[in-house]
Amino acid sequence: MTFEELLNDPRLGQALKSDVPTPLYHQVYLFLKEKIHLGDIPFGEKMPTEHQLSEAFSVSRITAKRAMDELAEEGYISRRRGKGSHVIYKNRAEHVAAPLSGLLENLKVLGQETQVKSLGFKRAIPPLDIQERFGIGPEEELIQSIRVRSNDGIPFGYYVSWTRDIGDSYNEDSLQQSTRLELFKQAGVHLDNVEQSITATLSNMDTALVLDIPTGRPLLLLDRSMYDSEGKLFDHLYAIYRPDKYQFDMKFSMK
């Protein structure tokens, strides 16, 4: 579902919770902030108007304006009279260098010991920031996969990935049976380098629903890029984790 389609979804207005401490304007702010982080509203994209937001979320124009003002104050969007609001956020996180073998082994274990459910799988034109990362044109498609990962029936991870086409073996059914790393290996893809950064965010209505938590809860946001043996970006992943159900450990050697 595109961001524009999501704004027209009648269920969106029902996602706001009036019986929680988080104010309505902040719930709208969290939703939009997360969409910007995930690239659903990419850099340079024009934001919905206050009128569109008030209708989509069934809130007042004042509530919608306050959410947009907060995004502007934190540097996510710029607001110019007569020209609307546009996304100015770019991920500038520094990447940590670590041995690839240990990372991939941890991912393999995670895939074997938890359960994954597909929420969407399709060929699609990615948002602008993903196009720039992959160095592709505005009409080129990648494979988008959206998944939720659980442990003993409790969801703890929400994933949005973009991957280059590797053939029919990489499909929605195969992702239910094997890890993505296994499918990449079977298709003859040799991963050579991984860059990732981790930051903190808060759950919005979208992620709160998927992860079965209230809005406004702290979450871990992982940004991971995998490169093949030719140094070409092959796969990009946004992963959002519940810190109460997922712990990210790293071990470094000083040798």
Side-chain angles (χ1 to χ4, degrees), residues 43-54:
F43 174 79
E45 186 81 2
K46 186 174 182 179
M47 293 289 292
T49 65
E50 292 172 8
H51 177 69
Q52 289 174 317
L53 290 174
S54 65

Side-chain angles (χ1 to χ4, degrees), residues 14-152:
Q14 303 171 7
L16 293 177
K17 305 296 183 183
S18 58
D19 57 346
V20 298
T22 307
L24 292 178
Y25 83 88
H26 199 67
Q27 293 182 46
V28 176
Y29 155 80
L30 290 173
F31 177 86
L32 296 173
K33 176 184 174 182
E34 195 65 57
K35 290 300 179 183
I36 293 172
H37 268 296
L38 294 176
D40 292 336
I41 318 178
F43 174 79
E45 186 81 2
K46 186 174 182 179
M47 293 289 292
T49 65
E50 292 172 8
H51 177 69
Q52 289 174 317
L53 290 174
S54 65
E55 286 195 336
F57 290 98
S58 299
V59 296
S60 68
R61 287 281 295 272
I62 294 176
T63 296
K65 180 180 184 303
R66 190 167 179 184
M68 293 286 280
D69 286 345
E70 192 158 325
L71 286 171
E73 289 174 6
E74 297 207 3
Y76 288 97
I77 65 174
S78 66
R79 311 194 73 187
R80 299 180 64 184
R81 187 178 297 276
K83 294 189 177 182
S85 302
H86 293 77
V87 176
I88 58 174
Y89 171 82
K90 278 187 174 181
N91 191 330
R92 302 180 179 85
E94 296 294 328
H95 295 283
V96 176
L100 178 59
S101 58
L103 171 64
L104 299 186
E105 183 62 30
N106 289 337
L107 295 179
K108 182 178 179 181
V109 172
L110 181 65
Q112 292 172 342
E113 297 183 352
T114 59
Q115 307 80 46
V116 66
K117 176 183 178 182
S118 175
L119 302 181
F121 186 93
K122 63 181 179 180
R123 295 176 183 272
I125 295 175
L128 182 60
D129 67 319
I130 298 297
Q131 293 176 24
E132 292 177 347
R133 289 178 187 241
F134 279 84
I136 61 176
E139 303 300 322
E140 293 184 62
E141 294 182 333
L142 296 172
I143 306 298
Q144 183 194 47
S145 175
I146 303 175
R147 307 171 305 284
V148 60
R149 188 169 290 281
S150 304
N151 186 23
D152 293 330

